[in-house]
Amino acid sequence: MSRPKGAGFVWDPAIASHVYRDDHPLKPKRLIGVYDTLRQIGAFDGPGAKVLAPRAATIDEIERIHSPEYVEAVKRASASPSRNDYSQWGMDRYRDTPPFKGMHEVSLLTTGGSLVAMDESLAGDLRVAVNFSGGLHHAMRERASGFCIYNDPAIVCAMLADRGMKVAYVDIDAHHGDGVQHAFYDSDQVLTISLHETGAALFPGTGFADERGIGSGAGYSINVALPPYTDDAPYVRAFDAVVPHLVDRFRPDVLVTQQGIDPHFTDPLTHLQLSTHAREHVVRWFADSPYPWVAMGGGGYSLDAVRRTWAMEFLIMLGAEIPPELHDADPPAWSGEERRQIDQLTDEAIKGALEAAW
Ligand SMILES: [Zn+2]
């Protein structure tokens, strides 16, 4: 069976205009650069590209993953961010996830964007649809965390699982996809694979190989905990050793990806050292796989790395050529003792991940 061609891009200026806090590293306006770059290239002009308007997720959809009490707290924080203390719900004005005016409404829209992407991908007219404003993988059932308010990737995976589908969720953000792992920790219907910088060095401090799921979910939570400063070559080796092998063995009905670009070597919040070249390799594997595919964004705090890499990734989804200026000209690569140490720690991460699998 041949796969459909074409790619959907969820876009509305409303998903790129909110401000968490003036000094906050997550700047939703970063998506304007991605959209403008693609528009200037002419990516939206061909027959394969479809710009998709997001919709607001319904409360029922949000409550598939989050508790009604938490949703009520987010609504109150959204209406009056400075009036009360919302820290018991993970929202604190001086910390990672501050309450801000309109946060509930814009989070419904970014979550609904992922649901639109899901519906478009499953409709069968497009190879993939991507919502770069989504991928907010740290949000927990009753707690905002790590810039994430509503966990759209978990909601998408849950909606797919509710339809009886087997879901492979692959998370390539620099941070462990803890909220999604947690939501499906006891399920063999959603395989979660997260490649990230080890929790020993980076938020949220989890994502070790021995977190492999419980009950019927044992072996269906896979973590590749990479050493700080991992560069392209060992990263690609780890991806190739773990992801194609396990996803193909699982034989999902649908592939869901979280494509945070904070592993980039210029990112100010993490220590991974990836370039656009490793990302091209990984996203081409997603694109060439036989599975229907729903894609989301995630972290990414170097605005230029976000702009170039996500524009490139959408071009890969489209099957279009990549202008050389989107690529990193001179990606970092270790040598000597650092090379040896990173390679050895990466080998251990690969081994641990494969041994954890069902
Ligand atoms: Zn991240």
Side-chain angles (χ1 to χ4, degrees):
M1 196 179 84
S2 73
R3 286 187 306 273
K5 294 188 189 335
F9 185 97
V10 173
W11 178 247
D12 184 317
I15 58 177
S17 58
H18 50 302
V19 176
Y20 278 65
R21 192 175 55 219
D22 284 342
D23 67 347
H24 197 279
L26 179 53
K27 303 202 182 302
K29 68 177 183 187
R30 66 195 174 144
L31 298 184
I32 297 169
V34 178
Y35 178 78
D36 284 349
T37 298
L38 286 166
R39 194 173 43 79
Q40 283 157 18
I41 292 169
F44 299 121
D45 300 339
K50 189 170 174 185
V51 177
L52 305 168
R55 66 168 171 89
T58 66
I59 297 298
D60 278 353
E61 287 165 340
I62 299 294
E63 289 180 358
R64 179 60 181 77
I65 289 294
H66 298 284
S67 74
E69 295 76 18
Y70 172 68
V71 176
E72 274 307 311
V74 174
K75 271 193 201 170
R76 288 198 305 275
S78 184
S80 349
S82 50
R83 186 170 304 164
N84 296 302
D85 177 13
Y86 304 101
S87 51
Q88 75 172 108
W89 306 101
M91 296 174 280
D92 184 318
R93 84 179 73 160
Y94 302 111
R95 303 190 68 163
D96 276 359
T97 317
F100 62 89
K101 189 89 184 162
M103 66 189 299
H104 171 67
E105 290 73 17
V106 79
S107 299
L108 292 182
L109 199 59
T110 59
T111 304
S114 294
L115 293 163
V116 166
M118 176 188 85
D119 285 337
E120 288 284 338
S121 296
L122 293 188
D125 301 330
L126 297 172
R127 168 70 191 104
V128 59
V130 61
N131 173 28
F132 281 122
S133 74
L136 301 172
H137 59 172
H138 295 306
M140 294 290 178
R141 179 171 167 78
E142 302 216 293
R143 182 164 51 87
S145 175
F147 318 160
C148 302
I149 298 149
Y150 296 141
N151 195 322
D152 60 291
I155 290 167
V156 164
C157 291
M159 294 289 160
L160 293 165
D162 289 349
R163 296 180 191 184
M165 301 178 91
K166 286 175 73 178
V167 184
Y169 170 77
V170 181
D171 185 320
I172 56 172
D173 193 280
H175 300 90
H176 174 223
D178 57 344
V180 184
Q181 171 178 295
H182 189 259
F184 303 103
Y185 207 55
D186 60 356
S187 169
D188 61 358
Q189 209 181 341
V190 180
L191 168 67
T192 63
I193 305 179
S194 180
L195 284 87
H196 49 262
E197 180 174 343
T198 172
L202 193 69
F203 178 90
T206 54
F208 298 96
D210 62 355
E211 296 164 31
R212 58 186 295 274
I214 53 171
S216 59
Y220 294 89
S221 289
I222 304 297
N223 288 291
V224 188
L226 297 162
Y229 312 110
T230 298
D231 50 353
D232 280 357
Y235 186 93
V236 164
R237 192 155 52 78
F239 182 89
D240 286 351
V242 175
V243 177
H245 174 61
L246 294 183
V247 171
D248 290 344
R249 197 166 110 199
F250 183 66
R251 297 171 59 87
D253 297 305
V254 57
L255 173 68
V256 177
T257 60
Q258 196 275 19
Q259 297 177 197
I261 182 51
D262 45 9
H264 193 269
F265 70 92
T266 62
D267 194 275
L269 263 57
T270 81
H271 313 100
L272 295 180
Q273 299 272 287
L274 262 60
S275 80
T276 53
H277 299 279
R279 291 288 289 224
E280 177 178 4
H281 176 89
V282 164
V283 175
R284 281 203 191 283
W285 187 83
F286 296 151
D288 291 342
S289 79
Y291 315 109
W293 176 23
V294 186
M296 296 156 203
Y301 311 100
S302 158
L303 267 53
D304 186 59
V306 169
R307 182 186 69 78
R308 289 185 294 110
T309 312
W310 280 352
M312 174 193 78
E313 293 180 358
F314 186 67
L315 293 173
I316 294 169
M317 292 173 185
L318 270 179
E321 274 194 37
I322 300 167
E325 61 267 25
L326 294 183
H327 267 300
D328 293 306
D330 194 15
W334 293 102
S335 58
E337 179 57 18
E338 288 89 353
R339 167 85 289 135
R340 196 192 63 74
Q341 279 188 22
I342 289 168
D343 284 346
Q344 186 194 329
L345 291 166
T346 302
D347 286 343
E348 288 169 17
I350 294 169
K351 187 162 175 278
L354 291 174
E355 284 175 357
W358 75 102

